[in-house]
Amino acid sequence: LYLRNKNLIGWLKIADTKIDYPVMQSNNGEYYLDHNFNQEYDKNGTLFVDNDCDVLRPSDNIIIYGHNMKSGEMFGSLEKYKNESYYQEHPRIEFDTIYETGTYEVMFAFLSRVFYEGEITFKYYQFINASSDQEFSSAIEAMKELSLYDTGVTANYGDQLLTLSTCDYTEDDGRFVVVAKKIS
């Protein structure tokens, strides 16, 4: 697949769901909002990693974006994580990069939105690398407070996180977010 499209950065899969897709990353952060793996126009887009994330190094938190399609495609089924029972049936996420394999355990599921630049609040989409244990712990605490339920999963400075983000239509610029911790 990499030979067909060098923007391929990995593959995301959640067992027993429709989420089983390539994950892309390009210099144009919005390109895969409306282009498929073959770089053709497609309203479904393709899952893609935030421009500021680095899967080689890797970043403390890798953020993957995808459309919330009514058809269930892309992240159309991600919002099922709003229900704790769904989380209990799907506690793990597989994200294999072109460099390594990875299994992640879901920690948090929460609603958020895109905030105005001047708003002082936790902006999950800006949490990519923590400069200290305190900054990491502060971000974890903010996400824990937002979480719709308690999974009992915790993370410490140095752990790698995976954040899945999609639109949520309960408010303007709403987002639904699932955060997981790498366990292997």
Side-chain angles (χ1 to χ4, degrees), residues 32-98:
Y32 285 103
L33 280 173
D34 58 9
H35 286 81
N36 62 26
F37 174 82
N38 297 315
Q39 300 182 351
E40 302 161 333
Y41 175 80
D42 186 335
K43 67 180 180 175
N44 289 325
T46 306
L47 303 183
F48 63 96
V49 171
D50 188 287
N51 262 14
D52 294 327
C53 294
D54 185 345
V55 296
L56 178 59
R57 194 177 68 205
S59 303
D60 293 337
N61 185 22
I62 297 172
I63 304 172
I64 301 175
Y65 298 101
H67 283 305
N68 183 352
M69 303 301 293
K70 289 180 184 175
S71 65
E73 299 298 311
M74 298 303 127
F75 279 164
S77 62
L78 192 66
E79 68 183 4
K80 291 180 180 181
Y81 275 102
K82 289 179 180 177
N83 296 312
E84 187 173 0
S85 60
Y86 186 81
Y87 148 73
Q88 290 169 345
E89 294 170 8
H90 303 88
R92 293 211 164 77
I93 298 169
E94 295 173 38
F95 178 53
D96 299 336
T97 70
I98 57 174

Side-chain angles (χ1 to χ4, degrees), residues 137-149:
S137 296
S138 177
I140 293 295
E141 195 58 38
M143 291 185 282
K144 185 177 182 178
E145 288 177 21
L146 291 169
S147 193
L148 299 172
Y149 44 84

Side-chain angles (χ1 to χ4, degrees), residues 99-143:
Y99 305 106
E100 65 181 6
T101 60
T103 301
Y104 295 77
E105 191 169 27
V106 173
M107 296 175 56
F108 310 116
F110 60 88
L111 294 164
S112 188
R113 66 180 175 88
V114 176
F115 295 94
Y116 295 110
E117 190 173 321
E119 287 183 87
I120 300 173
T121 188
F122 175 70
K123 299 172 184 171
Y124 75 91
Y125 47 85
Q126 291 181 344
F127 177 62
I128 294 172
N129 282 307
S131 60
S132 67
D133 183 8
Q134 183 178 358
E135 183 181 347
F136 188 89
S137 296
S138 177
I140 293 295
E141 195 58 38
M143 291 185 282

